[in-house]
């Protein structure tokens, strides 16, 4: 069992840290908002007063923060991982960030005697709570094997997809697919409602056919209920679509639907929906259709 410093105990990080503690690891958690450590402490883990305090006591550092600058800060700031951790420490970055940033940070980590993998996750809050996340891992085969017991404690589908940065590239593709599914599901439900169809019955039968998907299973009811408490915020999905559209341009790849999705996500934020679950794209379809149910 490992001693794990878990940095970032938000909607996803908190249940992940609890699963690791329950699996027998010793987890020391840190979050900018101290009350987010409550669930970990209740599970027998420890709350640190600073990231440096957590990192200094650990042989594994897990990171789950919102964006590239946040990961960079955790690693490179004074009192951060590069400044505080013991040589040989394994760094597992569960965050979803730019692949090029990940690659640069992994090179720096190696130069400083650390091991690092990028291990972004998919599955949202439900996947985190149920330890059923899909985890796409970039790094060396040796570091992947070293991290596997930790990854298995929080994920159901854990796959090594290539060298450092590959996990983030696969996650960007994941976010493109998820956004497209959410958008077309929202459009379908607004369409069904316009015709007075029993939408609950419609969603049930659609879910049993080729239109069925994890997105339909997890997000349709939120749309029907107009309940958009965040499991994964529009703000974060907006960031992720920025990553994939930028990376596609750099690779010379055309993603026309991805570009439209990025604009629709940006519109949702501009209309004040950034803090909502990404299923809140439904509200944008309603606005465009003149059917706002607010």
């Amino acid at each position: 069992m490992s001693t794990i410093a878990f940095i970032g105990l938000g909607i996803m990080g908190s249940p992940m840290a609890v699963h690791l503690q329950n699996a027998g690891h010793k987890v020391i958690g840190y979050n900018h908002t101290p009350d987010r450590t409550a669930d970990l402490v209740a599970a027998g883990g420890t709350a640190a007063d600073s990231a440096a305090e957590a990192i200094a006591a650990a042989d594994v550092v897990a990171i789950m923060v919102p964006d590239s600058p946040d990961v960079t800060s955790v690693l490179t700031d004074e009192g951060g991982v590069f400044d505080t951790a013991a040589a040989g420490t394994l760094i597992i970055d569960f965050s979803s960030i730019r692949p090029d940033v990940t690659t640069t940070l992994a090179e720096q980590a190696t130069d400083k005697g650390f091991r690092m993998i990028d291990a972004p996750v998919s599955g949202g809050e439900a996947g985190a709570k149920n330890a059923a996340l899909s985890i796409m891992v970039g790094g060396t085969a040796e570091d992947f094997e070293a991290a596997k017991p930790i990854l298995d404690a929080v994920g159901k589908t854990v796959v090594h997809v290539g060298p450092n940065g590959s996990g983030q590239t696969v996650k960007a593709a994941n976010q493109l697919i998820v956004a497209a599914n959410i958008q077309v599901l929202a459009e379908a439900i607004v369409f069904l409602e316009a015709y007075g169809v029993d939408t609950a019955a419609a969603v049930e039968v659609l879910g049993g056919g080729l239109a069925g998907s994890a997105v339909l299973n997890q997000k349709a009811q939120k749309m029907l209920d107009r309940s958009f408490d965040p499991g994964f915020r529009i703000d974060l999905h907006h960031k992720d679509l920025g990553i994939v559209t930028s990376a596609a341009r750099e690779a010379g790849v055309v993603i026309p639907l991805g570009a439209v999705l990025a604009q629709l996500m940006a519109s949702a934020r501009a209309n004040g929906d950034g803090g909502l679950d990404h299923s809140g794209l439904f509200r944008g379809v309603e606005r465009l259709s003149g059917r706002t149910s607010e």
Side-chain angles (χ1 to χ4, degrees), residues 30-292:
Y30 173 74
N31 196 75
H32 285 306
T33 309
D35 62 348
R36 294 296 305 181
T37 62
D39 287 347
L40 174 60
V41 172
T46 304
D49 292 328
S50 67
E53 178 186 337
I55 293 163
D59 50 80
V60 175
V61 177
I63 305 169
M64 184 50 128
V65 293
D67 203 351
S68 302
D70 305 297
V71 175
T72 301
S73 176
V74 170
L75 294 178
T76 66
D77 280 2
E78 183 178 354
V81 176
F82 292 169
D83 193 37
T84 306
T89 294
L90 174 62
I91 304 163
I92 304 174
D93 182 21
F94 289 115
S95 316
S96 296
I97 68 172
R98 287 169 40 191
D100 60 325
V101 172
T102 286
T103 302
T104 298
L105 290 172
E107 291 172 351
Q108 294 175 3
T110 299
D111 289 344
K112 294 178 179 294
F114 303 114
R115 300 171 291 158
M116 182 172 173
I117 62 171
D118 45 298
V121 305
S122 179
E125 183 181 15
K129 287 184 173 179
N130 296 320
L133 294 167
S134 178
I135 308 178
M136 43 226 82
V137 184
T140 67
E142 293 78 13
D143 291 345
F144 171 70
E145 288 303 321
K148 190 71 162 46
I150 293 169
L151 303 176
D152 285 341
V154 297
K156 182 179 180 181
T157 304
V158 179
V159 181
H160 182 215
V161 296
N164 289 110
S166 300
Q168 298 296 352
T169 302
V170 175
K171 179 58 187 291
N174 179 88
Q175 295 304 80
L176 174 61
I177 294 168
V178 170
N181 273 267
I182 291 174
Q183 178 65 24
V184 295
L185 175 62
E187 293 179 13
I189 291 178
V190 170
F191 168 74
L192 290 167
E193 290 183 343
Y195 277 92
V197 172
D198 181 339
T199 48
V203 165
E204 180 182 358
V205 71
L206 290 172
L210 193 58
S213 68
V215 165
L216 187 147
N217 293 342
Q218 293 185 31
K219 304 299 182 180
Q221 195 61 50
K222 295 176 78 71
M223 295 180 188
L224 296 181
D225 294 341
R226 272 59 167 182
S227 175
F228 302 115
D229 291 339
F232 187 80
R233 290 182 286 115
I234 282 172
D235 280 338
L236 292 175
H237 213 142
H238 170 75
K239 175 262 297 183
D240 291 342
L241 289 178
I243 290 172
V244 71
T245 52
S246 175
R249 181 172 181 174
E250 290 175 11
V253 174
V254 176
I255 52 167
L257 290 180
V260 171
L261 291 165
Q263 292 299 305
L264 290 168
M265 203 73 73
S267 174
R269 293 181 78 241
N271 279 279
D273 290 346
L276 301 182
D277 185 76
H278 49 180
S279 57
L281 283 178
F282 179 84
R283 287 160 54 90
V285 180
E286 284 193 311
R287 282 189 289 264
L288 288 170
S289 302
R291 291 179 171 270
T292 306

